[in-house]
Amino acid sequence: ARAQVRQDDEIGALAGNINKLFAQLSDIEERRKNLDKIQQDFVSNVSHELKTPITVIKGSLEVLDEGLIDDPLEMREYFHQMLSDARHLERLVNDLLELSRLQNSNFEIYKTTLNVTDIVTESVRSMQRIAEKKQVNIRFDNTAGVVLFCGDYGRLRQMFTIVLDNAIKFAPPRTDVTVNMSLEKRRCTLSVSDCGSGILPEDIPYIFNRFYKKQSHQNENGSGLGLPIAKQIASRHDIEITCKSNYCDRTIFTFLFTPETGDEG
């Protein structure tokens, strides 16, 4: 309860301090409730994500164990499906551990001065083969030249690769995924855009939440943890990451950050 005393003396000062304490305790309680809800939702989501592949693997093993399948080709299909589900579980667990590490403020990332252009170029090169399989072309337009930045090379490459992989995943065949990097007023902008199916406006606020997944055949093997991991890496580097999308048209992810120096190349 709040103290209702309004006096310009020691009693009034005590009442004021009690009310300040009340406000602080109320804020702490609200944060505790929010944290409890986040933890409950996390456990619920993890349980749901783990349950499906485990159920499928268990069902397949029971069928094989009972000898209900004796056709070699059909048995091979069962083994292939179980291997696929096991790989999905492995990816999910690894992503959970990765996200947990990044969210821990005590987890150190090792920053050095590096050239962001090199990281983006390497990310584009590493995703080129995946893009070619989908008949998607990656275009990298860089007007910023050399952009020096203090960061963790491996983590930043991971962040860019996650978003680039996402763009390729949803890009239709025979279309472009465009990567643009520019420098203006000592702020560097890096954008990744695709001409895929887009994201509904009401879904955009949640795309960086854990286990958010667009329900489509392109994303059936996704863990729903890629963009949250990218968001955490961006936050640890003071990089602003945003998304804009016109449904059934174009989606653009943008990274905005301040380089150590201006344009050198």
Side-chain angles (χ1 to χ4, degrees):
R2 290 183 180 273
Q4 301 301 321
V5 178
R6 299 289 185 272
Q7 297 177 198
D8 190 16
D9 56 15
E10 291 181 354
I11 299 298
L14 177 60
N17 288 333
I18 290 174
N19 287 336
K20 287 181 182 178
L21 179 60
F22 168 83
Q24 292 172 351
L25 291 173
S26 179
D27 184 53
I28 290 171
E29 177 65 13
E30 186 64 27
R31 285 189 304 218
R32 185 191 64 78
K33 288 180 180 178
N34 289 337
L35 183 59
D36 286 345
K37 185 178 186 307
I38 290 172
Q39 289 174 336
Q40 290 171 4
D41 290 345
F42 178 72
V43 171
S44 175
N45 288 329
V46 169
S47 300
H48 173 74
E49 292 292 328
L50 293 175
K51 184 177 181 181
T52 301
I54 289 175
T55 300
V56 173
I57 292 172
K58 180 173 177 288
S60 298
L61 286 172
E62 287 173 346
V63 169
L64 293 171
D65 184 59
E66 293 171 8
L68 300 177
I69 303 295
D70 54 12
D71 179 63
L73 184 60
E74 194 171 353
M75 289 179 67
R76 185 175 180 82
E77 290 177 358
Y78 269 82
F79 286 126
H80 178 76
Q81 182 60 51
M82 286 189 293
L83 180 60
S84 176
D85 286 312
R87 285 171 175 163
H88 175 70
L89 277 174
E90 181 183 36
R91 182 167 58 251
L92 179 61
V93 171
N94 287 338
D95 284 349
L96 281 169
L97 292 172
E98 181 80 343
L99 186 59
S100 177
R101 283 194 292 264
L102 288 167
Q103 289 176 325
N104 182 359
S105 59
N106 294 324
F107 177 69
E108 292 187 16
I109 56 176
Y110 302 98
K111 296 181 179 180
T112 58
T113 297
L114 44 80
N115 180 12
V116 176
T117 303
D118 289 343
I119 301 176
V120 179
T121 301
E122 186 178 334
S123 299
V124 169
R125 188 184 300 117
S126 69
M127 297 303 296
Q128 200 72 50
R129 185 170 296 178
I130 294 174
E132 289 172 356
K133 286 182 179 179
K134 278 202 65 181
Q135 296 180 290
V136 171
N137 179 51
I138 305 176
R139 289 177 46 212
F140 179 27
D141 299 323
N142 176 25
T143 61
V146 174
V147 178
L148 300 182
F149 183 71
C150 184
D152 184 308
Y153 193 101
R155 293 295 178 185
L156 290 174
R157 184 178 182 277
Q158 180 185 13
M159 178 183 72
F160 294 138
T161 302
I162 286 171
V163 174
L164 190 56
D165 178 60
N166 221 46
I168 294 168
K169 185 187 301 180
F170 292 105
R174 293 176 293 281
T175 62
D176 290 342
V177 167
T178 304
V179 181
N180 279 304
M181 193 161 76
S182 60
L183 196 63
E184 184 177 356
K185 295 180 180 179
R186 292 194 47 79
R187 294 282 278 172
C188 186
T189 301
L190 174 68
S191 65
V192 179
S193 63
D194 68 86
C195 300
S197 55
I199 304 170
L200 289 169
E202 58 266 30
D203 289 340
I204 287 181
Y206 307 105
I207 60 172
F208 294 110
N209 291 357
R210 290 174 297 192
F211 296 112
Y212 169 86
K213 285 199 301 183
K214 181 176 179 179
Q215 300 302 318
S216 65
H217 70 278
Q218 298 105 316
N219 205 30
E220 58 188 7
N221 292 321
S223 68
L225 294 170
L227 288 179
I229 289 173
K231 177 73 170 179
Q232 285 296 321
I233 295 173
S235 296
R236 296 291 293 267
H237 287 83
D238 295 320
I239 296 174
E240 180 183 352
I241 177 172
T242 58
C243 173
K244 292 183 180 179
S245 182
N246 297 323
Y247 189 59
C248 295
D249 184 11
R250 180 175 291 275
T251 299
I252 304 174
F253 281 87
T254 302
F255 302 92
L256 186 64
F257 58 95
T258 302
E260 286 194 340
T261 62
D263 186 359
E264 296 184 10

